[in-house]
Amino acid sequence: MENHTKDSTMNVSSLNCIDLSDDDLHNSVVSLKQACLDCGFFYVINHGINDEFMDDVFEQSKKFFALPLEEKMKVLRNEKHRGYTPVLDELLDPENQVNGDHKEGYYIGIEVPKDDPHWDKPFYGPNPWPDADVLPGWRETMEKYHREALRISKAIARLLALALDLDVDYFDRTEMLGKPIATMRFLRYQGVSDPSNGIYACGAHSDFGMMTLLATDSVTGLQICKDKKATPQKWEYVPPIKGAFIVNLGDMLERWSNGFFKSTLHRVLGNGQERYSIPFFVEPNHDCLVECLPTCKSESNLPKYPPIKCSTYLTQRYKETHAELSIYHQQT
Ligand code: OGA
Ligand code: NI
């Protein structure tokens, strides 16, 4: 277990800030590339979602978590990773955590109705929705947010493509972000973390996919570790900035870019205040073969990772980190 010294709680990270409304594309790409090489975390501002709508989304999220547990259990996560995830459902860092994460969540994926030919793919399907009489307007707000977050992700992917010396629309094609897997997750953290006793709001991990857009409230909690091999590990807080997204690269992009871009270890510590956040996980098409990008290999820099299908990789990562659904059915 980690020795949680006072010092390690005081460090604050300063991250590059990418302005999506900046006309100077070159400037944005240089700044983005530097962030991707340095730590894989950056802020994004002027993305086109206004503060009022964002406040609305957080309000709706709060309303859901404030429901009685039995109401939330009616929309318990299903086999397609949609719906409510209770406290301790996810365990991200088994080496350092005594049990799961001290957070509750709600996964919402791309809505694919059962009459769609692709509905049976592992990360597609209809979303369970809380009863509209209980939470009026909830679904509409969340679906709008999903659309907006996907739009912003695609804009960032265009900058990422340029930073990787690819055509600007490289990731736009159908087999990539044209028909993506995109899952957003509402989270509520409660309680005080105690790293020396293995208790974390969210255990150390790097995200599975291509990138994650994180919206948070004003409560501090997220930490990153820029060098996972350092001993002892040095953790820095990422302060929330009103109106900005915190964006981080995931393991799939690290594989895709042959390790050129980094996915960075991060975790959340609870300080006793309730904390709400919304990560939006962006992954390419189910069938996308994540294999070394053409600009990331050479005779002296051969591909380091074997190609793997996006849905195969994701299924494996979800299986490793989430409780078996059967445990909930034994309890009821
Ligand atoms: C995650 C995550 C951070 C946060 O869900 O993968 O890292 O601030 N969340 O909630
Ligand atoms: Ni994460």
Side-chain angles (χ1 to χ4, degrees), residues 66-193:
L67 294 174
L69 184 62
E70 75 234 41
E71 193 65 37
K72 293 188 272 193
M73 289 304 271
K74 287 184 190 162
V75 282
L76 179 68
R77 161 172 80 83
N78 61 25
E79 67 290 344
K80 299 228 181 201
H81 313 286
R82 311 291 179 94
Y84 174 61
T85 57
V87 176
L88 307 185
D89 185 66
E90 192 172 18
L91 175 58
L92 286 158
D93 183 16
E95 269 180 40
N96 291 300
Q97 282 179 284
V98 289
N99 43 31
D101 289 353
H102 289 258
K103 67 178 193 223
E104 297 168 273
Y106 196 100
Y107 283 112
I108 297 174
I110 290 188
E111 180 78 18
V112 181
K114 281 200 173 172
D115 56 8
D116 186 289
H118 298 292
W119 87 274
D120 60 341
K121 297 202 165 181
F123 294 91
Y124 277 173
N127 289 293
W129 296 103
D131 194 333
D133 293 336
V134 177
L135 295 177
W138 201 87
R139 173 174 178 171
E140 290 72 20
T141 304
M142 298 320 190
E143 288 193 310
K144 180 173 171 197
Y145 182 67
H146 194 289
R147 282 195 299 276
E148 288 289 299
L150 188 56
R151 172 185 63 73
I152 297 166
S153 308
K154 288 182 181 178
I156 299 169
R158 293 167 79 82
L159 297 178
L160 283 170
L162 293 174
L164 287 162
D165 291 327
L166 299 162
D167 290 341
V168 64
D169 56 358
Y170 188 85
F171 294 116
D172 289 343
R173 54 188 88 176
T174 311
E175 65 272 27
M176 295 184 182
L177 295 183
K179 224 173 179 321
I181 298 172
T183 305
M184 65 181 182
R185 193 167 183 199
F186 298 88
L187 297 172
R188 174 172 77 172
Y189 296 96
Q190 287 176 310
V192 184
S193 297

Side-chain angles (χ1 to χ4, degrees), residues 103 187 189 202 205 207 214 216 222 266 268 275 277 279 281:
K103 67 178 193 223
L187 297 172
Y189 296 96
C202 171
H205 66 283
D207 292 350
L214 179 72
T216 76
L222 176 68
H266 55 283
V268 178
R275 177 174 181 271
S277 73
F281 301 105

